[in-house]
Amino acid sequence: MVIIHNGAIIITNPRKNNNMFSFRRYFFKKEKPTSEHKPYPKLITHQPSDTAGVLASFLEAKDLASVSTTCRDSHPLFSKALAVKSLLQAVVYGDLKKAEAIIIDHPEFLLERGTVKDYSGRIHSDRTAFQLALGACDYNVKDKKGNIVVDGMIEMIEKHFKNLAEKTPDEINIIMHSQYAGQFPEGDETTEAKKIIDDSAALHRMINVIADLKDEHDCTAVSALEEKIHKIIRKEKSERADQLRKIVQSILSAESITLFEEAFQDFTTYVTAHKLIEKDAYNVDLLKALYQFRNYLEPKGSRTTGKHFNHQLLSIAAELYDKNYVRFGNDWDSPKNLFCWQKVFGGVERLVPACDAQSIAHGLWYLFEEGEKSPRSAVFRYGGGKYFPLFLDPDWEFGHNCAAVRWRAACAGAGRLRGFKSYVEQKQQCRHLSCSLDERNRRDAVR
């Protein structure tokens, strides 16, 4: 169990025969207790509630649960933090049933804020449940007849605001609009428009590199190298796995061209020196373009405002795949098409919020054309497995060796991704508060 206190990480180990703890404090080196049996102050349980709230914001839900379970005195301080964290985590994980169950029991949690990480690795800081749902664009989705086929997290949360104790409809309306404005502040649409342009440019650069290849088998060689590296990082427990993991992470997290170039040079030097592939046996420019694309997509820093994901990027990626299908080999497993499918389109799909992953896993055809109700599950309709978490199986990971689509009209070939256009169009229309909050609160007031 890990607790953070005053810049130190405290690892607590409950003793079997009493309620005392032995603490190790990590600054830059381990500090051993002066006496094995000396009582140590209850640093966490003696903190005021506001300090406990700050400490709790640094902990994962599982760690908060461990604190509450292991130390009975910490329960009053951390039980609420655990419940709020569980709600916020459920929202970014797209778990509508769990989120609603918590809200029903504790509608006051709609006023609480916290920091959570989503499946794609984005960190969302100081957000409410409503703001997290807004950022994910987790709205109702309708089929071609206008029937709701995906129940939105946003609409679910909105209806429970009316249960806030001792709040008038006008006060609730102000709270909801304030949270909305906090997620989409003035000027956010300009930022969003720039991101759409930048995302499109990055995607087109990647596709153009593939299109300009004279030998399509360069895609095969780079894919083989990248997948070999990926499996070493994910599966092996060895010195080379640790080294490769460190190098690849430095490539993905590089925040300048210079840092990227240095990290990429370290990478190519390492794979050649350790004979992971024969020298000059792969197209360095294609490999570099792939890692530049991944570096661009990689979540960096924490987010406090705006949409979590540019859904238009998903639409453009689908459109470019279909547009280039014939000239990239006119076969789903031609080297260029397979590279685009697994590395490029799959790379974009890594980033979708959980609510979108659930729709893709269920099958967009069945939502839009058949009008099937989504179970809001990340389990794939066919073949087993789950969309998220990303790291469940290194042999089946988006952006490395797979992507996903389910569109019955064209399971292979050009046009297989056209269902994404309809889906993204709905997401793009969901930029404002769903229905009218003013109207909804007036109706609730009359009732």
Side-chain angles (χ1 to χ4, degrees), residues 310-366:
N310 168 25
H311 285 89
Q312 192 167 331
L313 181 63
L314 186 65
S315 180
I316 296 172
E319 182 182 350
L320 287 176
Y321 177 87
D322 285 342
K323 179 180 178 181
N324 290 289
Y325 184 84
V326 173
R327 74 165 177 158
F328 280 1
N330 200 27
D331 197 323
W332 72 271
D333 65 349
S334 63
K336 287 188 176 183
N337 276 329
L338 194 59
F339 193 93
C340 283
W341 176 246
Q342 295 179 336
K343 312 296 183 183
V344 182
F345 189 73
V348 173
E349 283 192 312
R350 287 176 68 91
L351 300 175
V352 301
C355 55
D356 302 313
Q358 292 165 347
S359 294
I360 295 170
H362 181 73
L364 299 182
W365 167 275
Y366 300 98

Side-chain angles (χ1 to χ4, degrees), residues 354-400:
C355 55
D356 302 313
Q358 292 165 347
S359 294
I360 295 170
H362 181 73
L364 299 182
W365 167 275
Y366 300 98
L367 296 176
F368 291 119
E369 301 296 325
E370 299 290 341
E372 285 188 4
K373 193 78 170 181
S374 169
R376 287 201 63 123
S377 169
V379 176
F380 289 111
R381 184 186 188 94
Y382 298 111
K386 295 178 67 177
Y387 196 117
F388 286 136
L390 290 169
F391 309 130
L392 284 176
D393 185 354
D395 295 320
W396 180 261
E397 186 173 332
F398 287 89
H400 293 280

